[in-house]
Amino acid sequence: KQEVTQIPAALSVPEGENLVLNCSFTDSAIYNLQWFRQDPGKGLTSLLLIQSSQREQTSGRLNASLDKSSGRSTLYIAASQPGDSATYLCAVKEAGNNRKLIWGLGTSLAVNP
Amino acid sequence: DTEVTQTPKHLVMGMTNKKSLKCEQHMGHRAMYWYKQKAKKPPELMFVYSYEKLSINESVPSRFSPECPNSSLLNLHLHALQPEDSALYLCASSRTGGDEKLFFGSGTQLSVL
């Protein structure tokens, strides 16, 4: 059974720091992995989607990597800003007929001015 | 237009009420989803419509009734809900329901008294 774990559960950093959020999954048979951002009481915004054949994706200050064989993904945020404060969730799309999204519990990020 | 619009943003209802949540997208997406999210938890999939047909029902109680009148609209009809149904209800869409990005609405915060 696929399980997705995100470490750390919470993170507080000063503005300007580069930071890394981690996501691990137990079954390497995946179609893709998505990183989402969620502000309190709001919907989710898809930040980056990495297909299983890809190693990384970049968007602005965000870079996500995928190592399928070791069951790991990282989200790198460069030069963090207070506006980056949110919960970041990763979700893995299972291979096979079901192809459900399996979610991690998220990392709650606070970037302090 | 890359938005998924959900109405209402907030809803308070009694256990005997009937209400509906609405979701609309104009991105030409052919897959639409309902998710339920409790505080500090990841979203839980409820229903998936693919090309206006219900393709997935995650064993949701019959007091929740989805409807997809056309490719741009998705409704969730609520009847005789329980207090434990209080949650953030999120609508999402994707291009075909395959291995592509999910676009979420900002959600309806539902309280059942």
Side-chain angles (χ1 to χ4, degrees):
Chain A
K1 179 186 167 194
Q2 179 74 270
E3 291 182 5
V4 179
T5 303
Q6 291 188 246
I7 294 173
L11 184 62
S12 181
V13 300
E15 182 176 3
E17 270 204 10
N18 301 325
L19 54 98
V20 174
L21 307 182
N22 296 293
C23 174
S24 61
F25 47 96
T26 54
D27 187 345
S28 62
I30 65 169
Y31 275 112
N32 61 41
L33 184 146
Q34 284 191 74
W35 282 94
F36 293 88
R37 169 192 170 131
Q38 187 171 29
D39 294 292
K42 303 285 189 184
L44 289 84
T45 301
S46 179
L47 299 172
L48 291 163
L49 180 147
I50 313 176
Q51 301 292 355
S52 62
S53 58
Q54 297 174 322
R55 295 292 298 231
E56 66 177 339
Q57 285 285 331
T58 298
S59 175
R61 294 182 294 109
L62 305 179
N63 175 278
S65 68
L66 175 64
D67 184 342
K68 209 171 65 159
S69 60
S70 67
R72 290 182 187 173
S73 176
T74 61
L75 179 67
Y76 176 82
I77 303 177
S80 58
Q81 302 170 358
D84 295 328
S85 299
T87 296
Y88 290 81
L89 295 113
C90 75
V92 162
K93 190 154 207 177
E94 291 188 303
N97 289 335
N98 200 354
R99 295 165 79 165
K100 287 177 64 170
L101 272 183
I102 308 298
W103 297 80
L105 292 180
T107 293
S108 177
L109 173 66
V111 180
N112 305 305
Chain B
D1 184 359
T2 58
E3 276 195 358
V4 176
T5 303
Q6 287 190 245
T7 56
K9 294 196 184 308
H10 302 276
L11 180 63
V12 179
M13 59 186 291
M15 289 190 284
T16 59
N17 292 157
K18 284 185 182 181
K19 296 285 185 184
S20 296
L21 309 185
K22 297 187 183 302
C23 175
E24 191 168 5
Q25 57 86 15
H26 295 291
M27 295 179 277
H29 289 177
R30 302 312 299 272
M32 297 186 78
Y33 310 75
W34 280 115
Y35 282 85
K36 171 183 176 179
Q37 187 179 27
K38 293 278 205 177
K40 301 201 183 297
K41 299 285 189 183
E44 298 172 38
L45 182 64
M46 301 175 71
F47 302 104
V48 181
Y49 273 83
S50 179
Y51 293 83
E52 294 136 68
K53 292 193 187 320
L54 183 64
S55 59
I56 295 177
N57 175 342
E58 289 288 313
S59 303
V60 178
S62 60
R63 57 186 184 268
F64 295 91
S65 175
E67 178 196 19
C68 189
N70 60 54
S71 60
S72 299
L73 293 173
L74 186 66
N75 299 320
L76 186 63
H77 303 297
L78 314 173
H79 174 53
L81 294 193
Q82 304 296 310
E84 60 265 28
D85 296 322
S86 298
L88 182 67
Y89 287 84
L90 294 162
C91 174
S93 71
S94 67
R95 195 169 52 85
T96 65
D99 304 322
E100 68 265 335
K101 268 191 181 185
L102 274 181
F103 290 79
F104 280 86
S106 55
T108 294
Q109 187 67 56
L110 174 68
S111 297
V112 182
L113 304 178

